[in-house]
Amino acid sequence: QVQVVESGGGLVQPGGSLRLSCAASGNINSINDMGWYRRAPGKQRDLVARMTSGGITTYADSVKGRFTISRDNAKNTVYLQMNSLKPEDTAVYYCNIRTLYRTIIGYWGQGTQVTVSS
């Protein structure tokens, strides 16, 4: 089994910064890609940022220039540095890890709440 655990969420004021962490553990053969998604109240879950095993990154247009995804391969950990936070960024943020052996299998964390408010 593979476990995915997020941390770093919380309450922050507009314009502030926050860094989310996501660590994967368990039966990991190899990682295909890691990413962050979010779901705001009443909305669907959308991609925030994703990084492939080769280091190729993808960002939602709404966070480009403000958010940065990074990783520590030795720790099977992915980070999301969030700067210049806006109230619109308020959402539950989910980490997704896709492993590869014979097929690609995705695993989700339980989510961490990020609230941007005064």
Side-chain angles (χ1 to χ4, degrees):
Q1 63 180 21
V2 175
Q3 297 181 62
V4 179
V5 180
E6 305 106 328
S7 63
L11 175 64
V12 65
Q13 296 183 18
S17 298
L18 210 59
R19 189 177 78 156
L20 306 182
S21 299
C22 172
S25 62
N27 187 23
I28 302 173
N29 296 109
S30 64
I31 294 177
N32 186 75
D33 56 81
M34 299 179 170
W36 291 93
Y37 295 73
R38 68 186 181 187
R39 179 186 287 122
K43 298 183 178 180
Q44 66 180 13
R45 182 165 57 191
D46 294 323
L47 171 71
V48 176
R50 175 163 288 277
M51 176 179 284
T52 71
S53 60
I56 300 173
T57 58
T58 301
Y59 293 94
D61 288 341
S62 60
V63 307
K64 286 182 178 178
R66 300 189 298 119
F67 291 10
T68 303
I69 187 171
S70 61
R71 67 187 179 191
D72 184 335
N73 289 338
K75 298 180 179 179
N76 289 324
T77 299
V78 63
Y79 306 94
L80 184 68
Q81 178 66 47
M82 304 184 293
N83 298 325
S84 301
L85 283 163
K86 305 174 181 179
E88 305 93 276
D89 295 317
T90 296
V92 177
Y93 284 70
Y94 298 89
C95 179
N96 176 258
I97 307 293
R98 298 203 296 178
T99 62
L100 172 64
Y101 179 48
R102 302 182 191 279
T103 60
I104 295 175
I105 302 175
Y107 300 90
W108 291 94
Q110 293 186 349
T112 184
Q113 177 71 48
V114 172
T115 302
V116 185
S117 175
S118 298

